[in-house]
Amino acid sequence: MDIAPLGIRLAKTAGFCMGVKRAVDMALDIARKKRSGQIYTYGPLIHNPQTMELLQAQGIKTLDDLESLRGGDVTIIIRAHGISPREKKKIKDLGYEVIDATCPRVVHVQAIIKKHEIKGYHILIVGDPDHPEVNGLLGYAGNRGRVVNDPEEVRGLPPMEKVCVVAQTTQDAALYEKTIQEVKIKYPQAVFYDTICDSTAMRQKEVCEMASEMEAMVIVGGKNSANTKRLAQLCEAQGVDTFLIETADELDEKRIGPFKRIGISAGASTPNWIIDQVMDKVVACQHTQTPFLGGLLRLWAWLIRNDIYAALGAASLAFTGAVLIGREIKAGEMLIASAYVYGMHNLNRYINWRIAGTAGPRRNDLYLINENRCLFASILAIITALAFSFQAGIRPVILLAVISLLGILYHVRIFPSGFRFRSISDIPGSKNISMALAWATVAVILPYLREGAVSFSGLTVSFIFIFYLVFSRSVLSDIRDIQSDRLKGRETMPVLLGMNYVRRFVTVFSLPVLLMIAVAGLTGLVAGVGPALAICLFYVWICLRLCDRRLGVSSFVMEGLLETNYLLAGGVALMWLLLR
């Protein structure tokens, strides 16, 4: 997707491939179920050091030498690249539990080699001789296996009667085709199998197409990832300036800044949150040629990253709630909602940063550089919200103080060590529900406590409507972050229930809310703006579709689109008032 007008495009195929995702999910499932003993991956599970660090934090260690083990309750996970039959047998003979996370595409190649080796074929593997996948494949070829990494190497091979040719699953498709042509000349009777993974082929095709249209390409992935390096080589072959980086910190701002059209892709082992960080940094580096719309986009991104956009959304929801139940619009109530949301969002991220060392991929730099400033701004915002609510009476300030205290304690480990959940944030799904409850309470209940001169039915409709908007935004954001949440052990609703189930849940839940707000408006339970606010439910469905990462929507754009629904609700309410 192009982030117009900056000309930045994120490849649809960037990030984890099927085999990598499967291996990581298998490892995390084992870590969650296994209550005792040690878990190891035999060699790095995938070629990405940042992901391996997170797996280690979940108790999954990397094992390079079986001799270093001393028995006991040990589970060994075979890496996604696969291993040789001899190595696998050795692990089983030692009595350890073996979990095979080999990519199914690699297993397919192993089966082809094993079948033809039995029939007496010489096996020719086109790939990197130092790559663990190729080393594992050679084990299935017995004494009949050879590796070639260049068409020229084929000419130096000895005469062979029966030859079977396969490719490393992440091989360069063009290079494999050239190698095949040389093999056909030397061994006319050879049989060929195109075993390059479909995901790899699509990734390479897309990156070549992007490189032909862009001024620069940024390729993100581990330094030891063969498929990542191959993507960079393909871009360089197109004559485009190419930046091969492992993390956003390695991106040279001065070098990338002058380019107007920039493409971003990533290797099959690169996690989404690293791609998001790179995407955000590339956007921030666009200092040249600042047209009006480009300046607005950068301002929008700044508001989102600093939680100001969310704060404006909270004020907009407070405005919408007042219009729905027919109350007088008061700037103080909008300020309370805005200050509370800004303060609690920042304070919770600060606390989470101090406890877990993470504040979310889009805010790490912000908290590293402005840690004390963020803390001061959060406390000041909460004090401001409490001060304005105090002017409204004792009941509003008590309620706001209570929900503020619960929010502050959300990430703090307040339960004894013997409990499964040490903090409120550890309770599965608590984030989505508590966030929606807090926003709806500040936007609807707090003003009601001040006056109380509205119908209970109207109050209920308004509360449920705002609750759903915030709840759906929170859940859709978690769908986007499901990969990093699983790696960090966070049991959000998508992690706990599965992404597809949560998508259906959000869709089904929206139908009664849509019916409720429309009927309530038509029957006079709430103001006549009710039916018009149904557009916000349709907007949720649009965002639900956009959450698919294959569409290439960057993380900060998606976050901004989700929070725009709050402003959409306020805009509809304002338009209704003006038209009246």
Side-chain angles (χ1 to χ4, degrees):
M1 173 185 175
D2 276 324
I3 302 183
L6 297 183
I8 300 170
R9 183 186 300 176
L10 175 63
K12 297 178 181 179
T13 54
F16 279 4
C17 67
M18 176 275 295
V20 168
K21 181 181 182 301
R22 175 180 176 271
V24 171
D25 285 347
M26 289 177 69
L28 291 172
D29 287 341
I30 294 163
R32 188 171 66 250
K33 295 173 183 176
K34 193 176 177 70
R35 299 299 179 188
S36 62
Q38 293 290 328
I39 304 173
Y40 296 95
T41 64
Y42 190 49
L45 184 70
I46 62 173
H47 280 160
N48 184 267
Q50 291 77 26
T51 303
M52 294 307 298
E53 287 177 9
L54 289 178
L55 288 175
Q56 187 169 359
Q58 297 297 316
I60 304 169
K61 301 178 181 179
T62 302
L63 177 69
D64 295 316
D65 182 16
L66 290 172
E67 304 302 326
S68 62
L69 293 178
R70 295 292 181 267
D73 183 9
V74 174
T75 299
I76 297 179
I77 305 170
I78 296 175
R79 60 193 173 211
H81 311 102
I83 60 177
S84 68
R86 181 180 59 82
E87 290 175 302
K88 191 180 295 186
K89 183 177 183 301
K90 184 177 181 180
I91 296 172
K92 290 182 178 179
D93 289 345
L94 290 172
Y96 300 127
E97 180 185 8
V98 179
I99 305 296
D100 194 347
T102 305
C103 172
R105 302 285 194 272
V106 177
V107 172
H108 174 63
V109 187
Q110 292 172 348
I112 291 173
I113 293 174
K114 184 176 180 180
K115 173 184 174 182
H116 285 79
E117 191 276 333
I118 293 173
K119 293 181 178 181
Y121 279 81
H122 293 274
I123 309 299
L124 202 58
I125 304 171
V126 182
D128 180 358
D130 297 323
H131 196 277
E133 178 191 327
V134 174
N135 291 330
L137 294 176
L138 277 174
Y140 286 84
N143 297 323
R144 299 174 179 272
R146 297 175 184 272
V147 181
V148 292
N149 196 28
D150 188 275
E152 297 294 328
E153 296 178 11
V154 176
R155 298 170 188 172
L157 294 174
M160 293 182 286
E161 292 184 4
K162 300 170 67 176
V163 177
C164 173
V165 185
V166 296
Q168 179 182 337
T169 57
T170 55
Q171 183 58 266
D172 178 356
L175 180 63
Y176 183 56
E177 185 60 35
K178 292 178 182 178
T179 306
I180 285 177
Q181 298 307 317
E182 289 293 334
V183 174
K184 286 180 178 179
I185 295 172
K186 192 171 184 69
Y187 307 109
Q189 304 302 320
V191 294
F192 304 92
Y193 291 89
D194 184 359
T195 54
I196 298 176
C197 174
D198 293 341
S199 174
T200 298
M202 291 172 61
R203 198 182 303 257
Q204 292 176 0
K205 179 181 178 183
E206 184 181 24
V207 85
C208 287
E209 291 174 351
M210 289 177 66
S212 66
E213 301 172 3
M214 297 291 147
E215 295 178 354
M217 288 292 297
V218 178
I219 306 299
V220 191
K223 292 289 194 302
N224 57 346
S225 170
N227 75 87
T228 301
K229 289 187 286 187
R230 195 157 288 120
L231 292 177
Q233 291 167 0
L234 290 170
C235 293
E236 290 170 348
Q238 296 268 3
V240 66
D241 287 274
T242 303
F243 301 81
L244 176 58
I245 60 174
E246 193 168 281
T247 65
D249 294 335
E250 299 176 12
L251 192 62
D252 190 328
E253 297 183 32
K254 292 182 179 179
R255 289 185 60 199
I256 198 71
F259 296 106
K260 299 177 184 177
R261 299 192 310 278
I262 303 171
I264 301 173
S265 188
S269 300
T270 308
N272 291 333
W273 76 87
I274 292 182
I275 300 172
D276 290 340
Q277 289 174 350
V278 172
M279 190 78 173
D280 283 0
K281 189 164 185 178
V282 170
V283 172
C285 288
Q286 298 304 286
H287 298 305
T288 61
Q289 301 296 327
T290 55
F292 177 71
L293 290 178
L296 286 180
L297 180 60
R298 278 186 287 276
L299 173 62
W300 188 54
W302 182 83
L303 292 173
I304 294 168
R305 290 192 188 95
N306 289 276
D307 283 320
I308 297 174
Y309 201 63
L312 293 173
S316 181
L317 290 181
F319 175 83
T320 305
V323 173
L324 269 174
I325 57 181
R327 291 185 63 256
E328 180 186 352
I329 310 299
K330 296 185 178 179
E333 294 170 357
M334 295 169 62
L335 177 62
I336 291 171
S338 181
Y340 169 80
V341 166
Y342 176 82
M344 291 310 303
H345 273 214
N346 269 284
L347 189 59
N348 263 288
R349 290 193 177 99
Y350 173 84
I351 295 171
N352 194 33
W353 173 254
R354 302 299 296 175
I355 294 174
T358 177
R362 295 169 294 282
R363 294 178 172 85
N364 280 342
D365 291 343
L366 174 69
Y367 281 81
L368 281 170
I369 298 171
N370 303 311
E371 182 178 333
N372 293 329
R373 191 183 304 171
C374 288
L375 177 61
F376 175 77
S378 303
I379 294 174
L380 181 62
I382 293 173
I383 291 174
T384 300
L386 288 169
F388 273 84
S389 64
F390 183 76
Q391 293 179 356
I394 190 64
R395 292 189 301 173
V397 75
I398 290 176
L399 178 59
L400 189 63
V402 169
I403 62 175
S404 297
L405 179 62
L406 291 174
I408 293 170
L409 296 176
Y410 183 72
H411 286 292
V412 178
R413 294 178 176 177
I414 56 178
F415 302 118
S417 57
F419 281 50
R420 182 192 171 193
F421 308 120
R422 297 295 308 280
S423 65
I424 301 174
S425 64
D426 293 334
I427 301 173
S430 61
K431 169 190 167 185
N432 312 112
I433 296 174
S434 61
M435 180 177 173
L437 282 174
W439 280 52
T441 298
V442 173
V444 179
I445 304 300
L446 217 62
Y448 168 75
L449 290 179
R450 178 179 180 177
E451 297 179 3
V454 295
S455 69
F456 179 77
S457 56
L459 189 75
T460 303
V461 169
S462 181
F463 184 90
I464 293 174
F465 174 71
I466 293 174
F467 176 93
Y468 176 76
L469 291 190
V470 179
F471 176 80
S472 61
R473 178 258 180 270
S474 177
V475 170
L476 294 184
S477 179
D478 285 342
I479 289 177
R480 290 276 303 187
D481 295 335
I482 186 171
Q483 188 183 99
S484 59
D485 285 338
R486 277 183 60 82
L487 281 164
K488 294 172 184 175
R490 296 172 180 164
E491 294 189 66
T492 61
M493 282 191 172
V495 170
L496 192 67
L497 304 176
M499 196 159 55
N500 291 332
Y501 180 84
V502 171
R503 284 176 179 274
R504 289 195 294 269
F505 178 79
V506 170
T507 304
V508 171
F509 189 25
S510 69
L511 297 176
V513 176
L514 188 152
L515 184 64
M516 175 201 71
I517 196 72
V519 172
L522 293 172
T523 57
L525 289 177
V526 295
V529 70
L533 286 171
I535 192 174
C536 297
L537 284 306
F538 291 108
Y539 186 86
V540 170
W541 297 345
I542 294 172
C543 289
L544 190 59
R545 295 294 299 273
L546 292 177
C547 277
D548 189 339
R549 280 189 171 271
R550 290 173 297 182
L551 296 177
V553 181
S554 76
S555 187
F556 94 84
V557 169
M558 193 67 238
E559 184 173 352
L561 289 175
L562 290 171
E563 292 178 349
T564 295
N565 205 15
Y566 307 150
L567 300 178
L568 176 62
V572 170
L574 177 61
M575 184 65 68
W576 180 80
L577 284 178
L578 295 175
L579 290 176
R580 285 182 64 194

mmCIF file of all heavy atoms in Angstrom, residues 440-458:
data_model
loop_
_atom_site.group_PDB
_atom_site.id
_atom_site.type_symbol
_atom_site.label_atom_id
_atom_site.label_comp_id
_atom_site.label_asym_id
_atom_site.label_seq_id
_atom_site.Cartn_x
_atom_site.Cartn_y
_atom_site.Cartn_z
ATOM 1 N N ALA A 440 -16.202 4.525 28.306
ATOM 2 C CA ALA A 440 -17.649 4.743 28.339
ATOM 3 C C ALA A 440 -18.077 5.376 29.656
ATOM 4 O O ALA A 440 -18.991 6.212 29.695
ATOM 5 C CB ALA A 440 -18.379 3.421 28.120
ATOM 6 N N THR A 441 -17.412 5.004 30.739
ATOM 7 C CA THR A 441 -17.731 5.580 32.050
ATOM 8 C C THR A 441 -17.411 7.071 32.083
ATOM 9 O O THR A 441 -18.213 7.893 32.540
ATOM 10 C CB THR A 441 -16.948 4.851 33.154
ATOM 11 O OG1 THR A 441 -17.333 3.477 33.179
ATOM 12 C CG2 THR A 441 -17.231 5.478 34.515
ATOM 13 N N VAL A 442 -16.225 7.441 31.584
ATOM 14 C CA VAL A 442 -15.816 8.847 31.591
ATOM 15 C C VAL A 442 -16.674 9.674 30.639
ATOM 16 O O VAL A 442 -17.011 10.835 30.932
ATOM 17 C CB VAL A 442 -14.323 8.961 31.209
ATOM 18 C CG1 VAL A 442 -13.923 10.418 31.031
ATOM 19 C CG2 VAL A 442 -13.459 8.321 32.283
ATOM 20 N N ALA A 443 -17.058 9.091 29.510
ATOM 21 C CA ALA A 443 -17.813 9.843 28.505
ATOM 22 C C ALA A 443 -19.293 9.965 28.842
ATOM 23 O O ALA A 443 -19.924 10.964 28.483
ATOM 24 C CB ALA A 443 -17.656 9.183 27.137
ATOM 25 N N VAL A 444 -19.877 8.970 29.545
ATOM 26 C CA VAL A 444 -21.327 8.943 29.749
ATOM 27 C C VAL A 444 -21.725 9.000 31.227
ATOM 28 O O VAL A 444 -22.568 9.812 31.629
ATOM 29 C CB VAL A 444 -21.927 7.674 29.100
ATOM 30 C CG1 VAL A 444 -23.439 7.629 29.326
ATOM 31 C CG2 VAL A 444 -21.618 7.636 27.612
ATOM 32 N N ILE A 445 -21.140 8.130 32.042
ATOM 33 C CA ILE A 445 -21.572 8.018 33.452
ATOM 34 C C ILE A 445 -21.131 9.223 34.266
ATOM 35 O O ILE A 445 -21.888 9.729 35.114
ATOM 36 C CB ILE A 445 -21.015 6.720 34.083
ATOM 37 C CG1 ILE A 445 -21.452 5.507 33.264
ATOM 38 C CG2 ILE A 445 -21.474 6.594 35.527
ATOM 39 C CD1 ILE A 445 -22.948 5.333 33.169
ATOM 40 N N LEU A 446 -19.906 9.682 34.059
ATOM 41 C CA LEU A 446 -19.392 10.802 34.851
ATOM 42 C C LEU A 446 -20.263 12.053 34.709
ATOM 43 O O LEU A 446 -20.643 12.657 35.726
ATOM 44 C CB LEU A 446 -17.948 11.107 34.425
ATOM 45 C CG LEU A 446 -16.984 11.535 35.532
ATOM 46 C CD1 LEU A 446 -16.830 10.418 36.555
ATOM 47 C CD2 LEU A 446 -15.607 11.855 34.941
ATOM 48 N N PRO A 447 -20.621 12.465 33.487
ATOM 49 C CA PRO A 447 -21.521 13.624 33.360
ATOM 50 C C PRO A 447 -22.895 13.370 33.988
ATOM 51 O O PRO A 447 -23.516 14.293 34.538
ATOM 52 C CB PRO A 447 -21.647 13.815 31.843
ATOM 53 C CG PRO A 447 -20.393 13.203 31.288
ATOM 54 C CD PRO A 447 -20.118 12.031 32.173
ATOM 55 N N TYR A 448 -23.384 12.129 33.916
ATOM 56 C CA TYR A 448 -24.689 11.793 34.499
ATOM 57 C C TYR A 448 -24.685 11.987 36.012
ATOM 58 O O TYR A 448 -25.671 12.460 36.599
ATOM 59 C CB TYR A 448 -25.043 10.355 34.144
ATOM 60 C CG TYR A 448 -26.227 9.809 34.918
ATOM 61 C CD1 TYR A 448 -27.526 10.194 34.604
ATOM 62 C CD2 TYR A 448 -26.036 8.936 35.979
ATOM 63 C CE1 TYR A 448 -28.606 9.707 35.319
ATOM 64 C CE2 TYR A 448 -27.105 8.438 36.707
ATOM 65 C CZ TYR A 448 -28.387 8.822 36.379
ATOM 66 O OH TYR A 448 -29.456 8.346 37.094
ATOM 67 N N LEU A 449 -23.557 11.633 36.667
ATOM 68 C CA LEU A 449 -23.472 11.776 38.125
ATOM 69 C C LEU A 449 -23.567 13.233 38.561
ATOM 70 O O LEU A 449 -23.962 13.532 39.673
ATOM 71 C CB LEU A 449 -22.157 11.173 38.631
ATOM 72 C CG LEU A 449 -22.039 9.649 38.554
ATOM 73 C CD1 LEU A 449 -20.679 9.204 39.060
ATOM 74 C CD2 LEU A 449 -23.144 8.979 39.368
ATOM 75 N N ARG A 450 -23.209 14.110 37.650
ATOM 76 C CA ARG A 450 -23.253 15.528 37.985
ATOM 77 C C ARG A 450 -24.683 16.036 38.029
ATOM 78 O O ARG A 450 -25.046 16.819 38.910
ATOM 79 C CB ARG A 450 -22.447 16.322 36.955
ATOM 80 C CG ARG A 450 -22.484 17.817 37.187
ATOM 81 C CD ARG A 450 -21.655 18.544 36.140
ATOM 82 N NE ARG A 450 -21.693 19.984 36.357
ATOM 83 C CZ ARG A 450 -21.020 20.863 35.642
ATOM 84 N NH1 ARG A 450 -20.247 20.453 34.649
ATOM 85 N NH2 ARG A 450 -21.099 22.162 35.891
ATOM 86 N N GLU A 451 -25.507 15.588 37.044
ATOM 87 C CA GLU A 451 -26.861 16.134 36.959
ATOM 88 C C GLU A 451 -27.925 15.064 37.170
ATOM 89 O O GLU A 451 -28.886 15.277 37.878
ATOM 90 C CB GLU A 451 -27.061 16.804 35.591
ATOM 91 C CG GLU A 451 -26.134 17.996 35.382
ATOM 92 C CD GLU A 451 -26.323 18.632 34.021
ATOM 93 O OE1 GLU A 451 -27.207 18.174 33.274
ATOM 94 O OE2 GLU A 451 -25.600 19.583 33.701
ATOM 95 N N GLY A 452 -27.770 13.913 36.514
ATOM 96 C CA GLY A 452 -28.715 12.824 36.687
ATOM 97 C C GLY A 452 -30.074 13.063 36.082
ATOM 98 O O GLY A 452 -31.021 12.350 36.389
ATOM 99 N N ALA A 453 -30.185 14.077 35.239
ATOM 100 C CA ALA A 453 -31.497 14.417 34.691
ATOM 101 C C ALA A 453 -31.708 13.839 33.299
ATOM 102 O O ALA A 453 -32.135 14.530 32.384
ATOM 103 C CB ALA A 453 -31.653 15.935 34.655
ATOM 104 N N VAL A 454 -31.382 12.571 33.134
ATOM 105 C CA VAL A 454 -31.611 11.906 31.851
ATOM 106 C C VAL A 454 -32.245 10.544 32.125
ATOM 107 O O VAL A 454 -32.159 10.004 33.219
ATOM 108 C CB VAL A 454 -30.292 11.710 31.068
ATOM 109 C CG1 VAL A 454 -29.687 13.036 30.688
ATOM 110 C CG2 VAL A 454 -29.296 10.890 31.878
ATOM 111 N N SER A 455 -32.903 9.992 31.086
ATOM 112 C CA SER A 455 -33.549 8.707 31.240
ATOM 113 C C SER A 455 -32.508 7.595 31.325
ATOM 114 O O SER A 455 -31.453 7.655 30.685
ATOM 115 C CB SER A 455 -34.483 8.434 30.060
ATOM 116 O OG SER A 455 -33.743 8.231 28.871
ATOM 117 N N PHE A 456 -32.824 6.576 32.126
ATOM 118 C CA PHE A 456 -31.900 5.440 32.291
ATOM 119 C C PHE A 456 -31.733 4.697 30.973
ATOM 120 O O PHE A 456 -30.634 4.239 30.649
ATOM 121 C CB PHE A 456 -32.432 4.496 33.370
ATOM 122 C CG PHE A 456 -31.561 3.294 33.578
ATOM 123 C CD1 PHE A 456 -30.373 3.398 34.287
ATOM 124 C CD2 PHE A 456 -31.912 2.058 33.047
ATOM 125 C CE1 PHE A 456 -29.556 2.296 34.477
ATOM 126 C CE2 PHE A 456 -31.106 0.952 33.229
ATOM 127 C CZ PHE A 456 -29.921 1.067 33.951
ATOM 128 N N SER A 457 -32.808 4.550 30.186
ATOM 129 C CA SER A 457 -32.729 3.832 28.913
ATOM 130 C C SER A 457 -31.811 4.568 27.940
ATOM 131 O O SER A 457 -30.993 3.960 27.241
ATOM 132 C CB SER A 457 -34.123 3.668 28.308
ATOM 133 O OG SER A 457 -34.757 4.936 28.156
ATOM 134 N N GLY A 458 -31.944 5.904 27.881
ATOM 135 C CA GLY A 458 -31.072 6.683 27.004
ATOM 136 C C GLY A 458 -29.621 6.586 27.431
ATOM 137 O O GLY A 458 -28.714 6.492 26.594
#
